[in-house]
Amino acid sequence: MKEVFPDTARVSDDGHLVIGGCDTVEIADRFGTPVMVLDRATLEARAKAFASVLEPARVHYAGKALCCVAVLEIVRDLGLSLDVCTGGELATALAASFPTERITFHGNNKSDAELRMALDAAVGRIVVDSFDEIDRLDRMDATADLMVRVTPGVEAHTHEYVQTGQEDSKFGFTLAEGVALEAVRRARDAGNCTLHGIHAHIGSQIFELSAFDLAIERVADFLASARDELGFEARDLNLGGGFGIAHTRDEMTPDPAESVSRLVSIVEREFSARGLPVPDVYIEPGRATVGASAVTLYRVGTIKEIPNVRTYVSVDGGMSDNIRPALYEARYEARLANRMAAASGPLVTVAGKHCESGDILIRDVHLPDDIAVGDLLVIPATGAYTYSMANNYNRIPRPPIVMVADGRATEIVRRETYDDLLRLDRRLDGSELP
Ligand SMILES: Cc1ncc(COP(=O)(O)O)c(C=O)c1O
């Protein structure tokens, strides 16, 4: 199988896609569609690849990519750390009994309640992102271990990166004009806090690893000034996440272990060159940990051919379970999970079922020319930023997540029901529904 499918994917004798030893046609029959199928072996293999270079606790799984109790339990048991950025993600981590000393708490606008929750849980690190937040920790007389998030003026997404002279980001402190230096000074002096180091996340879906080189050089320059002007030495350097993955056959996923080894050697080189102690390197891969491990199965419901224009193949999900194509023009590919051997045919468009013309999952994809209503369409590499961004547009219940491993399929997030959707509604007079 091509690398966009999970590692355990294979095709059965009757042409069905099998993942984790489970026939996806049977999964669709048993759990309904749409359904996200998550391959435990792939998830574990990616996490272990990152942890083969850095010790596991220095690899933070970025929970925003896919945050649910069972996934966090796996991450926990592999000894990885966890990046959360809201009270809700922290609550999920606590429900998964995630060791709190291995949790890093992020966010550009943490509320008092979230900061209090993080302090009460004694999370391992709080990454401060604004002067307001530092002031609040100071007023709370907080005892916490901190990192300062900086924006190194390098922005990287997909295959390109740009050097931005004057950083324009809602996250972190700019290195320009002494702003980040002042943040280091104030974070170091806040409450009973200990400042351990610096955090810099430069983007997502990064294939061009040299973007990290430039960010590291700038952070090293900054820390040389912090040493000279404030006598501050960073023990920790967290370079965030952003490692890209292939979503289509024409992309190549950079090797996780090689990417991280490269970062570590550049940190060694740049810090040594400035006479700085080499810090412990931390990373936060979200997409590259979980993205390739899942596929989404949809049932084809209607096929509409507009002569000389295009053919729409509509499926029973869409922008509520995967908003990435509508939000970022993200590209995916698709196959028929019930007929994997069928020859690919003309270009068609895979549309969702939402009342929105932009609800297109794949603009152009080759699917068999005898594709029919009832076929099972599979989109691979849907593990990251799909379920975690899922919504109920058009009051569509969110799909389940089914984990597959060694021939067993386990529902780790159940499908939402109409009752779930109505649970929060109140009548006009404020009373609860029966
Ligand atoms: C601070 C931080 N760390 C880690 C990540 C994870 O990024 P990715 O899933 O691209 O690895 C993000 C994503 O936005 C982030 O903002």
Side-chain angles (χ1 to χ4, degrees):
M1 298 286 312
K2 288 286 182 188
E3 71 163 300
V4 282
F5 279 90
D7 299 346
T8 63
R10 63 179 178 82
V11 178
S12 67
D13 292 344
D14 44 5
H16 295 179
L17 174 65
V18 174
I19 301 176
C22 298
D23 186 324
T24 55
V25 173
E26 286 170 22
I27 290 178
D29 289 344
R30 181 171 158 206
F31 297 100
T33 51
V35 54
M36 181 193 276
V37 180
L38 185 63
D39 181 36
R40 180 171 183 161
T42 305
L43 170 56
E44 293 190 339
R46 296 297 180 279
K48 284 180 188 165
F50 283 112
S52 67
V53 179
L54 298 177
E55 59 188 72
R58 291 212 225 142
V59 178
H60 287 66
Y61 167 61
K64 66 206 73 174
L66 178 62
C67 189
C68 61
V69 169
V71 166
L72 300 193
E73 286 175 324
I74 290 177
V75 173
R76 175 199 69 195
D77 291 348
L78 291 171
L80 265 59
S81 292
L82 176 67
D83 142 15
V84 299
C85 61
T86 62
E89 288 180 357
L90 180 56
T92 310
L94 298 178
S97 304
F98 207 97
T100 56
E101 69 278 9
R102 283 198 263 133
I103 297 177
T104 289
F105 196 79
H106 278 282
N108 68 303
N109 183 19
K110 305 175 189 75
S111 66
D112 284 353
E114 286 175 320
L115 279 178
R116 180 50 59 206
M117 192 176 168
L119 293 171
D120 289 348
V123 299
R125 294 282 185 276
I126 295 178
V127 182
V128 292
D129 209 290
S130 67
F131 288 115
D132 294 313
E133 185 183 348
I134 298 175
D135 289 346
R136 271 191 261 156
L137 288 167
D138 196 29
R139 279 199 300 275
M140 287 173 174
D141 208 19
T143 301
D145 293 294
L146 306 183
M147 307 278 283
V148 165
R149 179 162 179 179
V150 301
T151 42
V154 179
E155 241 185 89
H157 297 285
T158 69
H159 298 274
E160 290 169 2
Y161 69 88
V162 284
Q163 303 180 36
T164 50
Q166 195 60 42
E167 302 86 341
D168 180 1
S169 167
K170 72 170 186 167
F171 296 108
F173 298 92
T174 171
L175 294 181
E177 310 287 337
V179 176
L181 217 49
E182 176 62 8
V184 164
R185 194 184 60 72
R186 281 165 62 176
R188 194 180 52 180
D189 298 343
N192 296 308
C193 294
T194 307
L195 177 61
H196 292 265
I198 297 298
H199 182 286
H201 169 83
I202 58 171
S204 56
Q205 268 297 67
I206 300 172
F207 290 91
E208 188 54 73
L209 294 176
S210 54
F212 285 107
D213 303 11
L214 189 60
I216 293 168
E217 281 171 37
R218 290 189 176 171
V219 169
D221 280 341
F222 166 68
L223 285 171
S225 335
R227 173 198 54 198
D228 298 343
E229 295 187 31
L230 305 173
F232 173 73
E233 277 188 353
R235 264 172 306 176
D236 299 349
L237 174 61
N238 191 326
L239 293 168
F243 305 95
I245 66 160
H247 290 89
T248 57
R249 264 173 279 188
D250 54 9
E251 292 178 322
M252 272 291 290
T253 301
D255 182 75
E258 271 174 35
S259 304
V260 181
S261 304
R262 191 170 175 285
L263 291 192
V264 171
S265 63
I266 291 162
V267 169
E268 282 167 3
R269 187 187 73 202
E270 295 301 325
F271 278 69
S272 306
R274 290 162 182 79
L276 291 164
V278 176
D280 288 341
V281 173
Y282 293 73
I283 53 166
E284 295 171 339
R287 187 192 318 274
T289 311
V290 77
S293 63
V295 304
T296 307
L297 301 171
Y298 301 93
R299 191 71 68 184
V300 174
T302 61
I303 298 173
K304 180 171 95 168
E305 193 181 337
I306 309 174
N308 306 320
V309 179
R310 100 178 32 251
T311 297
Y312 284 96
V313 172
S314 290
V315 296
D316 52 1
M319 64 193 298
S320 56
D321 60 81
N322 187 354
I323 201 170
R324 295 188 65 252
L327 197 59
Y328 313 127
E329 296 181 355
R331 289 168 58 236
Y332 286 95
E333 64 177 66
R335 303 277 290 276
L336 295 184
N338 56 326
R339 297 194 285 131
M340 291 293 282
S344 80
L347 279 179
V348 298
T349 292
V350 177
K353 65 178 277 134
H354 296 271
C355 287
E356 173 72 40
S357 310
D359 178 28
I360 299 296
L361 284 168
I362 311 179
R363 174 70 51 193
D364 287 313
V365 62
H366 291 279
L367 286 173
D369 58 4
D370 61 346
I371 183 169
V373 168
D375 271 332
L376 190 62
L377 186 119
V378 56
I379 299 188
T382 56
Y385 303 104
T386 51
Y387 193 87
S388 62
M389 291 187 170
N391 59 78
N392 294 122
Y393 178 45
N394 293 142
R395 293 292 234 188
I396 291 186
R398 285 175 295 175
I401 304 178
V402 173
M403 181 162 288
V404 290
D406 305 322
R408 283 191 48 194
T410 311
E411 196 177 43
I412 58 166
V413 176
R414 75 157 167 80
R415 183 182 301 283
E416 255 178 344
T417 62
Y418 294 139
D419 282 345
D420 290 326
L421 294 181
L422 288 167
R423 200 183 53 224
L424 306 179
D425 281 31
R426 298 290 177 267
R427 291 199 183 282
L428 202 49
D429 64 4
S431 62
E432 285 192 31
L433 296 168

